[in-house]
PDB file of all heavy atoms in Angstrom:
ATOM      1  N   ILE A  12      42.888 121.771 113.246  1.00 47.00           N
ATOM      2  CA  ILE A  12      44.171 121.406 112.672  1.00 47.00           C
ATOM      3  C   ILE A  12      45.165 121.361 113.811  1.00 47.00           C
ATOM      4  O   ILE A  12      45.238 122.262 114.630  1.00 47.00           O
ATOM      5  CB  ILE A  12      44.624 122.435 111.624  1.00 47.00           C
ATOM      6  CG1 ILE A  12      43.646 122.469 110.462  1.00 47.00           C
ATOM      7  CG2 ILE A  12      46.033 122.123 111.139  1.00 47.00           C
ATOM      8  CD1 ILE A  12      43.929 123.539 109.444  1.00 47.00           C
ATOM      9  N   ARG A  13      45.906 120.269 113.861  1.00 45.00           N
ATOM     10  CA  ARG A  13      46.954 120.157 114.862  1.00 45.00           C
ATOM     11  C   ARG A  13      48.285 120.061 114.132  1.00 45.00           C
ATOM     12  O   ARG A  13      48.507 119.147 113.371  1.00 45.00           O
ATOM     13  CB  ARG A  13      46.764 118.926 115.729  1.00 45.00           C
ATOM     14  CG  ARG A  13      45.534 119.020 116.610  1.00 45.00           C
ATOM     15  CD  ARG A  13      45.450 117.833 117.489  1.00 45.00           C
ATOM     16  NE  ARG A  13      44.851 116.760 116.685  1.00 45.00           N
ATOM     17  CZ  ARG A  13      44.717 115.524 117.093  1.00 45.00           C
ATOM     18  NH1 ARG A  13      45.156 115.151 118.261  1.00 45.00           N
ATOM     19  NH2 ARG A  13      44.155 114.618 116.322  1.00 45.00           N
ATOM     20  N   VAL A  14      49.123 121.030 114.351  1.00 41.00           N
ATOM     21  CA  VAL A  14      50.438 121.028 113.729  1.00 41.00           C
ATOM     22  C   VAL A  14      51.441 120.645 114.810  1.00 41.00           C
ATOM     23  O   VAL A  14      51.499 121.251 115.863  1.00 41.00           O
ATOM     24  CB  VAL A  14      50.779 122.416 113.147  1.00 41.00           C
ATOM     25  CG1 VAL A  14      52.161 122.408 112.531  1.00 41.00           C
ATOM     26  CG2 VAL A  14      49.732 122.838 112.142  1.00 41.00           C
ATOM     27  N   TRP A  15      52.208 119.623 114.534  1.00 37.00           N
ATOM     28  CA  TRP A  15      53.173 119.140 115.506  1.00 37.00           C
ATOM     29  C   TRP A  15      54.420 120.004 115.425  1.00 37.00           C
ATOM     30  O   TRP A  15      55.043 120.102 114.388  1.00 37.00           O
ATOM     31  CB  TRP A  15      53.521 117.679 115.215  1.00 37.00           C
ATOM     32  CG  TRP A  15      52.305 116.825 115.277  1.00 37.00           C
ATOM     33  CD1 TRP A  15      51.548 116.399 114.239  1.00 37.00           C
ATOM     34  CD2 TRP A  15      51.662 116.348 116.449  1.00 37.00           C
ATOM     35  NE1 TRP A  15      50.490 115.684 114.680  1.00 37.00           N
ATOM     36  CE2 TRP A  15      50.531 115.626 116.048  1.00 37.00           C
ATOM     37  CE3 TRP A  15      51.939 116.454 117.801  1.00 37.00           C
ATOM     38  CZ2 TRP A  15      49.684 115.029 116.938  1.00 37.00           C
ATOM     39  CZ3 TRP A  15      51.084 115.847 118.689  1.00 37.00           C
ATOM     40  CH2 TRP A  15      49.974 115.146 118.253  1.00 37.00           C
ATOM     41  N   ILE A  16      54.780 120.623 116.537  1.00 33.00           N
ATOM     42  CA  ILE A  16      55.942 121.498 116.565  1.00 33.00           C
ATOM     43  C   ILE A  16      57.210 120.689 116.743  1.00 33.00           C
ATOM     44  O   ILE A  16      57.167 119.513 117.088  1.00 33.00           O
ATOM     45  CB  ILE A  16      55.797 122.553 117.694  1.00 33.00           C
ATOM     46  CG1 ILE A  16      55.659 121.874 119.052  1.00 33.00           C
ATOM     47  CG2 ILE A  16      54.627 123.468 117.421  1.00 33.00           C
ATOM     48  CD1 ILE A  16      55.637 122.809 120.220  1.00 33.00           C
ATOM     49  N   ALA A  17      58.339 121.322 116.508  1.00 32.00           N
ATOM     50  CA  ALA A  17      59.628 120.625 116.493  1.00 32.00           C
ATOM     51  C   ALA A  17      59.890 119.854 117.790  1.00 32.00           C
ATOM     52  O   ALA A  17      60.379 118.732 117.750  1.00 32.00           O
ATOM     53  CB  ALA A  17      60.751 121.621 116.241  1.00 32.00           C
ATOM     54  N   GLY A  18      59.551 120.399 118.920  1.00 33.00           N
ATOM     55  CA  GLY A  18      59.778 119.703 120.190  1.00 33.00           C
ATOM     56  C   GLY A  18      59.013 118.401 120.277  1.00 33.00           C
ATOM     57  O   GLY A  18      59.548 117.383 120.709  1.00 33.00           O
ATOM     58  N   LEU A  19      57.767 118.417 119.860  1.00 39.00           N
ATOM     59  CA  LEU A  19      56.975 117.196 119.877  1.00 39.00           C
ATOM     60  C   LEU A  19      57.504 116.188 118.877  1.00 39.00           C
ATOM     61  O   LEU A  19      57.474 114.987 119.112  1.00 39.00           O
ATOM     62  CB  LEU A  19      55.508 117.503 119.590  1.00 39.00           C
ATOM     63  CG  LEU A  19      54.760 118.251 120.689  1.00 39.00           C
ATOM     64  CD1 LEU A  19      53.343 118.571 120.238  1.00 39.00           C
ATOM     65  CD2 LEU A  19      54.735 117.454 121.971  1.00 39.00           C
ATOM     66  N   LEU A  20      57.983 116.674 117.737  1.00 39.00           N
ATOM     67  CA  LEU A  20      58.549 115.769 116.750  1.00 39.00           C
ATOM     68  C   LEU A  20      59.782 115.082 117.296  1.00 39.00           C
ATOM     69  O   LEU A  20      59.983 113.886 117.093  1.00 39.00           O
ATOM     70  CB  LEU A  20      58.892 116.516 115.465  1.00 39.00           C
ATOM     71  CG  LEU A  20      57.699 117.041 114.687  1.00 39.00           C
ATOM     72  CD1 LEU A  20      58.173 117.856 113.488  1.00 39.00           C
ATOM     73  CD2 LEU A  20      56.819 115.915 114.236  1.00 39.00           C
ATOM     74  N   LEU A  21      60.609 115.837 117.991  1.00 36.00           N
ATOM     75  CA  LEU A  21      61.807 115.258 118.579  1.00 36.00           C
ATOM     76  C   LEU A  21      61.435 114.195 119.601  1.00 36.00           C
ATOM     77  O   LEU A  21      61.995 113.102 119.604  1.00 36.00           O
ATOM     78  CB  LEU A  21      62.662 116.354 119.235  1.00 36.00           C
ATOM     79  CG  LEU A  21      63.965 115.895 119.868  1.00 36.00           C
ATOM     80  CD1 LEU A  21      64.853 115.237 118.819  1.00 36.00           C
ATOM     81  CD2 LEU A  21      64.681 117.064 120.483  1.00 36.00           C
ATOM     82  N   ILE A  22      60.454 114.476 120.422  1.00 40.00           N
ATOM     83  CA  ILE A  22      60.004 113.498 121.411  1.00 40.00           C
ATOM     84  C   ILE A  22      59.469 112.251 120.713  1.00 40.00           C
ATOM     85  O   ILE A  22      59.773 111.129 121.110  1.00 40.00           O
ATOM     86  CB  ILE A  22      58.922 114.107 122.337  1.00 40.00           C
ATOM     87  CG1 ILE A  22      59.557 115.172 123.234  1.00 40.00           C
ATOM     88  CG2 ILE A  22      58.253 113.028 123.179  1.00 40.00           C
ATOM     89  CD1 ILE A  22      58.558 115.994 123.999  1.00 40.00           C
ATOM     90  N   SER A  23      58.703 112.443 119.650  1.00 43.00           N
ATOM     91  CA  SER A  23      58.136 111.278 118.961  1.00 43.00           C
ATOM     92  C   SER A  23      59.223 110.447 118.297  1.00 43.00           C
ATOM     93  O   SER A  23      59.090 109.235 118.194  1.00 43.00           O
ATOM     94  CB  SER A  23      57.091 111.701 117.935  1.00 43.00           C
ATOM     95  OG  SER A  23      57.684 112.340 116.833  1.00 43.00           O
ATOM     96  N   LEU A  24      60.290 111.076 117.855  1.00 42.00           N
ATOM     97  CA  LEU A  24      61.377 110.310 117.261  1.00 42.00           C
ATOM     98  C   LEU A  24      62.117 109.505 118.322  1.00 42.00           C
ATOM     99  O   LEU A  24      62.567 108.396 118.082  1.00 42.00           O
ATOM    100  CB  LEU A  24      62.340 111.233 116.515  1.00 42.00           C
ATOM    101  CG  LEU A  24      61.779 111.844 115.236  1.00 42.00           C
ATOM    102  CD1 LEU A  24      62.778 112.834 114.650  1.00 42.00           C
ATOM    103  CD2 LEU A  24      61.433 110.788 114.222  1.00 42.00           C
ATOM    104  N   VAL A  25      62.246 110.076 119.514  1.00 44.00           N
ATOM    105  CA  VAL A  25      62.946 109.385 120.592  1.00 44.00           C
ATOM    106  C   VAL A  25      62.078 108.277 121.184  1.00 44.00           C
ATOM    107  O   VAL A  25      62.547 107.182 121.456  1.00 44.00           O
ATOM    108  CB  VAL A  25      63.354 110.390 121.694  1.00 44.00           C
ATOM    109  CG1 VAL A  25      63.929 109.680 122.902  1.00 44.00           C
ATOM    110  CG2 VAL A  25      64.373 111.382 121.139  1.00 44.00           C
ATOM    111  N   THR A  26      60.794 108.548 121.363  1.00 49.00           N
ATOM    112  CA  THR A  26      59.902 107.579 122.011  1.00 49.00           C
ATOM    113  C   THR A  26      58.909 106.973 121.033  1.00 49.00           C
ATOM    114  O   THR A  26      57.965 106.344 121.444  1.00 49.00           O
ATOM    115  CB  THR A  26      59.114 108.262 123.144  1.00 49.00           C
ATOM    116  OG1 THR A  26      58.285 109.271 122.570  1.00 49.00           O
ATOM    117  CG2 THR A  26      60.017 108.835 124.182  1.00 49.00           C
ATOM    118  N   GLY A  27      59.107 107.166 119.770  1.00 61.00           N
ATOM    119  CA  GLY A  27      58.114 106.852 118.759  1.00 61.00           C
ATOM    120  C   GLY A  27      57.947 105.401 118.412  1.00 61.00           C
ATOM    121  O   GLY A  27      58.309 104.486 119.144  1.00 61.00           O
ATOM    122  N   CYS A  28      57.415 105.187 117.254  1.00 71.00           N
ATOM    123  CA  CYS A  28      56.927 103.887 116.826  1.00 71.00           C
ATOM    124  C   CYS A  28      58.021 102.887 116.490  1.00 71.00           C
ATOM    125  O   CYS A  28      57.746 101.706 116.440  1.00 71.00           O
ATOM    126  CB  CYS A  28      56.033 104.074 115.611  1.00 71.00           C
ATOM    127  SG  CYS A  28      54.608 105.101 115.959  1.00 71.00           S
ATOM    128  N   GLN A  29      59.216 103.326 116.236  1.00 56.00           N
ATOM    129  CA  GLN A  29      60.269 102.381 115.896  1.00 56.00           C
ATOM    130  C   GLN A  29      60.657 101.519 117.083  1.00 56.00           C
ATOM    131  O   GLN A  29      61.055 100.387 116.926  1.00 56.00           O
ATOM    132  CB  GLN A  29      61.510 103.105 115.386  1.00 56.00           C
ATOM    133  CG  GLN A  29      61.354 103.628 113.987  1.00 56.00           C
ATOM    134  CD  GLN A  29      62.633 104.228 113.488  1.00 56.00           C
ATOM    135  OE1 GLN A  29      63.372 104.863 114.222  1.00 56.00           O
ATOM    136  NE2 GLN A  29      62.914 104.017 112.224  1.00 56.00           N
ATOM    137  N   THR A  30      60.541 102.062 118.268  1.00 46.00           N
ATOM    138  CA  THR A  30      60.919 101.332 119.462  1.00 46.00           C
ATOM    139  C   THR A  30      59.751 100.495 119.931  1.00 46.00           C
ATOM    140  O   THR A  30      58.769 101.011 120.428  1.00 46.00           O
ATOM    141  CB  THR A  30      61.322 102.311 120.589  1.00 46.00           C
ATOM    142  OG1 THR A  30      62.315 103.182 120.080  1.00 46.00           O
ATOM    143  CG2 THR A  30      61.822 101.582 121.794  1.00 46.00           C
ATOM    144  N   VAL A  31      59.850  99.209 119.732  1.00 45.00           N
ATOM    145  CA  VAL A  31      58.788  98.311 120.183  1.00 45.00           C
ATOM    146  C   VAL A  31      59.322  97.553 121.391  1.00 45.00           C
ATOM    147  O   VAL A  31      60.231  96.753 121.280  1.00 45.00           O
ATOM    148  CB  VAL A  31      58.379  97.318 119.067  1.00 45.00           C
ATOM    149  CG1 VAL A  31      57.323  96.365 119.574  1.00 45.00           C
ATOM    150  CG2 VAL A  31      57.889  98.078 117.848  1.00 45.00           C
ATOM    151  N   SER A  32      58.771  97.858 122.568  1.00 42.00           N
ATOM    152  CA  SER A  32      59.205  97.180 123.782  1.00 42.00           C
ATOM    153  C   SER A  32      58.278  96.013 124.078  1.00 42.00           C
ATOM    154  O   SER A  32      57.243  95.848 123.450  1.00 42.00           O
ATOM    155  CB  SER A  32      59.202  98.175 124.956  1.00 42.00           C
ATOM    156  OG  SER A  32      57.887  98.600 125.209  1.00 42.00           O
ATOM    157  N   ASN A  33      58.638  95.210 125.067  1.00 40.00           N
ATOM    158  CA  ASN A  33      57.824  94.047 125.425  1.00 40.00           C
ATOM    159  C   ASN A  33      56.422  94.428 125.862  1.00 40.00           C
ATOM    160  O   ASN A  33      55.477  93.700 125.632  1.00 40.00           O
ATOM    161  CB  ASN A  33      58.505  93.250 126.537  1.00 40.00           C
ATOM    162  CG  ASN A  33      59.755  92.568 126.039  1.00 40.00           C
ATOM    163  OD1 ASN A  33      59.893  92.310 124.846  1.00 40.00           O
ATOM    164  ND2 ASN A  33      60.681  92.283 126.936  1.00 40.00           N
ATOM    165  N   ASP A  34      56.284  95.592 126.526  1.00 48.00           N
ATOM    166  CA  ASP A  34      54.974  95.971 127.021  1.00 48.00           C
ATOM    167  C   ASP A  34      54.205  96.858 126.040  1.00 48.00           C
ATOM    168  O   ASP A  34      53.090  97.257 126.302  1.00 48.00           O
ATOM    169  CB  ASP A  34      55.092  96.676 128.375  1.00 48.00           C
ATOM    170  CG  ASP A  34      55.936  97.934 128.316  1.00 48.00           C
ATOM    171  OD1 ASP A  34      56.723  98.075 127.362  1.00 48.00           O
ATOM    172  OD2 ASP A  34      55.820  98.769 129.231  1.00 48.00           O
ATOM    173  N   GLN A  35      54.778  97.150 124.903  1.00 57.00           N
ATOM    174  CA  GLN A  35      54.094  97.994 123.940  1.00 57.00           C
ATOM    175  C   GLN A  35      54.415  97.505 122.525  1.00 57.00           C
ATOM    176  O   GLN A  35      55.136  98.122 121.779  1.00 57.00           O
ATOM    177  CB  GLN A  35      54.506  99.460 124.102  1.00 57.00           C
ATOM    178  CG  GLN A  35      53.633 100.409 123.338  1.00 57.00           C
ATOM    179  CD  GLN A  35      53.996 101.846 123.617  1.00 57.00           C
ATOM    180  OE1 GLN A  35      55.112 102.184 123.950  1.00 57.00           O
ATOM    181  NE2 GLN A  35      53.024 102.713 123.467  1.00 57.00           N
ATOM    182  N   GLU A  36      53.861  96.359 122.171  1.00 73.00           N
ATOM    183  CA  GLU A  36      54.122  95.771 120.870  1.00 73.00           C
ATOM    184  C   GLU A  36      53.248  96.412 119.805  1.00 73.00           C
ATOM    185  O   GLU A  36      52.225  97.014 120.107  1.00 73.00           O
ATOM    186  CB  GLU A  36      53.866  94.266 120.929  1.00 73.00           C
ATOM    187  CG  GLU A  36      54.854  93.546 121.825  1.00 73.00           C
ATOM    188  CD  GLU A  36      54.670  92.047 121.800  1.00 73.00           C
ATOM    189  OE1 GLU A  36      54.014  91.539 120.881  1.00 73.00           O
ATOM    190  OE2 GLU A  36      55.192  91.399 122.706  1.00 73.00           O
ATOM    191  N   ARG A  37      53.676  96.235 118.580  1.00 78.00           N
ATOM    192  CA  ARG A  37      52.909  96.754 117.457  1.00 78.00           C
ATOM    193  C   ARG A  37      51.530  96.119 117.466  1.00 78.00           C
ATOM    194  O   ARG A  37      51.380  94.908 117.553  1.00 78.00           O
ATOM    195  CB  ARG A  37      53.628  96.449 116.155  1.00 78.00           C
ATOM    196  CG  ARG A  37      52.872  96.939 114.943  1.00 78.00           C
ATOM    197  CD  ARG A  37      53.643  96.692 113.687  1.00 78.00           C
ATOM    198  NE  ARG A  37      52.810  96.958 112.525  1.00 78.00           N
ATOM    199  CZ  ARG A  37      53.259  97.413 111.388  1.00 78.00           C
ATOM    200  NH1 ARG A  37      54.541  97.630 111.246  1.00 78.00           N
ATOM    201  NH2 ARG A  37      52.450  97.629 110.380  1.00 78.00           N
ATOM    202  N   GLY A  38      50.522  96.969 117.368  1.00 86.00           N
ATOM    203  CA  GLY A  38      49.151  96.498 117.355  1.00 86.00           C
ATOM    204  C   GLY A  38      48.638  96.311 115.945  1.00 86.00           C
ATOM    205  O   GLY A  38      49.403  96.140 115.000  1.00 86.00           O
ATOM    206  N   LYS A  39      47.344  96.394 115.816  1.00 93.00           N
ATOM    207  CA  LYS A  39      46.706  96.125 114.525  1.00 93.00           C
ATOM    208  C   LYS A  39      47.004  97.224 113.513  1.00 93.00           C
ATOM    209  O   LYS A  39      47.181  98.384 113.859  1.00 93.00           O
ATOM    210  CB  LYS A  39      45.208  95.960 114.692  1.00 93.00           C
ATOM    211  CG  LYS A  39      44.465  97.244 114.960  1.00 93.00           C
ATOM    212  CD  LYS A  39      42.960  97.026 114.894  1.00 93.00           C
ATOM    213  CE  LYS A  39      42.282  98.384 115.006  1.00 93.00           C
ATOM    214  NZ  LYS A  39      40.968  98.438 114.493  1.00 93.00           N
ATOM    215  N   ASP A  40      47.055  96.804 112.253  1.00 96.00           N
ATOM    216  CA  ASP A  40      47.173  97.752 111.157  1.00 96.00           C
ATOM    217  C   ASP A  40      45.846  98.469 111.000  1.00 96.00           C
ATOM    218  O   ASP A  40      44.780  97.880 111.206  1.00 96.00           O
ATOM    219  CB  ASP A  40      47.536  97.039 109.853  1.00 96.00           C
ATOM    220  CG  ASP A  40      48.972  96.548 109.840  1.00 96.00           C
ATOM    221  OD1 ASP A  40      49.823  97.146 110.526  1.00 96.00           O
ATOM    222  OD2 ASP A  40      49.246  95.558 109.142  1.00 96.00           O
ATOM    223  N   TRP A  41      45.907  99.730 110.626  1.00 97.00           N
ATOM    224  CA  TRP A  41      44.698 100.533 110.408  1.00 97.00           C
ATOM    225  C   TRP A  41      44.436 100.666 108.921  1.00 97.00           C
ATOM    226  O   TRP A  41      45.368 100.802 108.118  1.00 97.00           O
ATOM    227  CB  TRP A  41      44.873 101.918 111.021  1.00 97.00           C
ATOM    228  CG  TRP A  41      44.520 101.972 112.464  1.00 97.00           C
ATOM    229  CD1 TRP A  41      44.888 101.079 113.423  1.00 97.00           C
ATOM    230  CD2 TRP A  41      43.730 102.959 113.112  1.00 97.00           C
ATOM    231  NE1 TRP A  41      44.378 101.458 114.628  1.00 97.00           N
ATOM    232  CE2 TRP A  41      43.670 102.608 114.469  1.00 97.00           C
ATOM    233  CE3 TRP A  41      43.091 104.096 112.684  1.00 97.00           C
ATOM    234  CZ2 TRP A  41      42.977 103.362 115.397  1.00 97.00           C
ATOM    235  CZ3 TRP A  41      42.400 104.861 113.614  1.00 97.00           C
ATOM    236  CH2 TRP A  41      42.339 104.484 114.953  1.00 97.00           C
TER     237      TRP A  41
END
């Protein structure tokens, strides 16, 4: 079990999936 702690959550919100840059576009749906 991996529980994401608050610090990692904050990082994921800042660098997470909402930000799609030119070099990291949304890939395939799972």
Side-chain angles (χ1 to χ4, degrees):
I12 297 174
R13 293 184 278 174
V14 179
W15 300 98
I16 59 175
L19 290 176
L20 292 176
L21 181 60
I22 291 170
S23 71
L24 290 175
V25 173
T26 63
C28 299
Q29 285 185 323
T30 307
V31 178
S32 65
N33 291 336
D34 60 340
Q35 192 175 27
E36 294 184 17
R37 179 177 170 148
K39 73 171 187 158
D40 288 333
W41 274 45

